[in-house]
Amino acid sequence: NLKIKKGEILGIIGQAGSGKSTLLKLLNRSYEPSLGKIYIGSEDIDKYSNEKIKESIVLISQKPDFFKVSIKENVVLGRENITDEDVINALKRSCAWEFVKNLPNGINTVLENNASNLSGGQKQRVSIARCFIGNPKIILLDDSTSALDKKTETEVWKNIYDYVSKNKITTVVCSQKISAFKYADNILVLANGKIEAIDKKENIEKVMIHYSVGNGYYFTMAGKAVLNQHFLDNVKTRMQELADMC
């Protein structure tokens, strides 16, 4: 079982195939659970209409979908009572306004199929702007800054965390980068679809040990692996990252 408090920022780390994306797609009802129930507060998510899901939960994926309509429409996604100013402010928070403002038609620029007229990083920044629109209860971020340079990524994450903290939005962040969890309240380690460990980030180094450390990943509980010196050296480096983050 997993309980996430209202307004909590939960980080989820796990190797490719560990179930991170599947978990997020269960939370926004893209997938239906084969067993068990998902509740928002005391309400079964099955009772949510598609419209209520769209208003309440925003999922920002690593490879976002786009439609052959304007940037504005791709950010708003049919949500009502959103002004041009709202869209521009959202684009500023996602660091996308710096290039959108220079396009011939600004936010009214029409995107090509799959936004082929944008780079990978530009696509991610436009998609991240979606989470700053409306009043979502839950924001789900799935490796959503993987194509951004370090400076832009740092600024985007700060803007996201400032926004969700101010508005008490429950936020789940899936990433393979420890740096994405700088502001997280808790970090969950996912392995083969199961919760391997969960703790506050200040304590997570006690349980994050065997997880392809050379790439910045951690996996099983301390004590379950025989560690070589190269592995231990990498653990030390990653633990320093955590110390700097906390």
Side-chain angles (χ1 to χ4, degrees):
N1 292 333
L2 173 63
K3 292 183 179 180
I4 306 172
K5 296 178 182 178
K6 181 179 179 180
E8 179 180 344
I9 301 171
L10 175 67
I12 300 179
I13 194 167
Q15 289 179 323
S18 62
K20 301 188 304 296
S21 296
T22 299
L23 176 57
L24 295 193
K25 288 179 179 179
L26 285 167
L27 293 177
N28 84 330
R29 218 174 63 187
S30 294
Y31 294 162
E32 296 290 339
S34 57
L35 185 67
K37 292 286 186 180
I38 298 172
Y39 293 88
I40 298 178
S42 60
E43 187 173 2
D44 189 335
I45 197 173
D46 287 343
K47 296 180 180 178
Y48 272 49
S49 66
N50 290 335
E51 187 66 27
K52 190 172 182 179
I53 288 286
K54 183 172 68 175
E55 292 175 354
S56 302
I57 305 173
V58 177
L59 171 63
I60 311 295
S61 62
Q62 182 180 18
K63 296 180 179 178
D65 293 323
F66 289 94
F67 303 96
K68 196 174 181 179
V69 294
S70 69
I71 289 175
K72 175 184 175 180
E73 291 168 294
N74 270 287
V75 171
V76 174
L77 294 179
R79 287 170 286 184
E80 298 180 350
N81 302 317
I82 306 298
T83 67
D84 286 2
E85 184 179 3
D86 293 332
V87 173
I88 290 170
N89 286 334
L91 291 168
K92 287 179 178 178
R93 288 191 175 107
S94 68
C95 296
W97 180 240
E98 61 190 53
F99 70 86
V100 172
K101 69 181 179 182
N102 294 320
L103 296 174
N105 296 308
I107 61 174
N108 295 310
T109 299
V110 175
L111 297 180
E112 301 295 335
N113 287 328
N114 198 33
S116 60
N117 47 335
L118 299 181
S119 69
Q122 289 173 336
K123 289 179 184 179
Q124 287 192 341
R125 283 184 278 172
V126 170
S127 71
I128 290 168
R130 295 167 176 170
C131 74
F132 299 117
I133 292 292
N135 297 294
K137 292 182 178 179
I138 300 169
I139 293 175
L140 310 172
L141 298 148
D142 188 5
D143 272 327
S144 50
T145 62
S146 59
L148 304 187
D149 63 81
K150 186 174 182 180
K151 180 180 178 182
T152 302
E153 183 180 37
T154 299
E155 184 175 353
V156 168
W157 278 124
K158 183 180 185 305
N159 292 342
I160 289 172
Y161 286 124
D162 286 348
Y163 180 78
V164 300
S165 298
K166 179 181 178 180
N167 294 283
K168 295 181 172 56
I169 299 171
T170 304
T171 305
V172 182
V173 180
C174 289
S175 182
Q176 297 179 349
K177 298 179 181 179
I178 295 174
S179 58
F181 308 130
K182 180 176 182 180
Y183 301 97
D185 298 307
N186 293 292
I187 297 176
L188 181 153
V189 183
L190 198 63
N192 299 316
K194 296 181 179 180
I195 298 172
E196 189 75 13
I198 184 168
D199 206 334
K200 294 187 179 300
K201 66 174 182 287
E202 293 86 352
N203 302 324
I204 200 67
E205 63 187 85
K206 297 175 184 177
V207 292
M208 295 165 65
I209 288 294
H210 180 209
Y211 183 60
S212 301
V213 179
N215 291 321
Y217 307 151
Y218 301 81
F219 221 52
T220 58
M221 299 287 283
K224 287 188 179 178
V226 176
L227 310 180
N228 59 34
Q229 189 58 48
H230 174 70
F231 185 88
L232 291 171
D233 288 343
N234 279 296
V235 169
K236 183 177 180 181
T237 299
R238 301 307 170 187
M239 291 305 102
Q240 185 59 52
E241 287 185 13
L242 281 169
D244 293 342
M245 185 176 70
C246 293

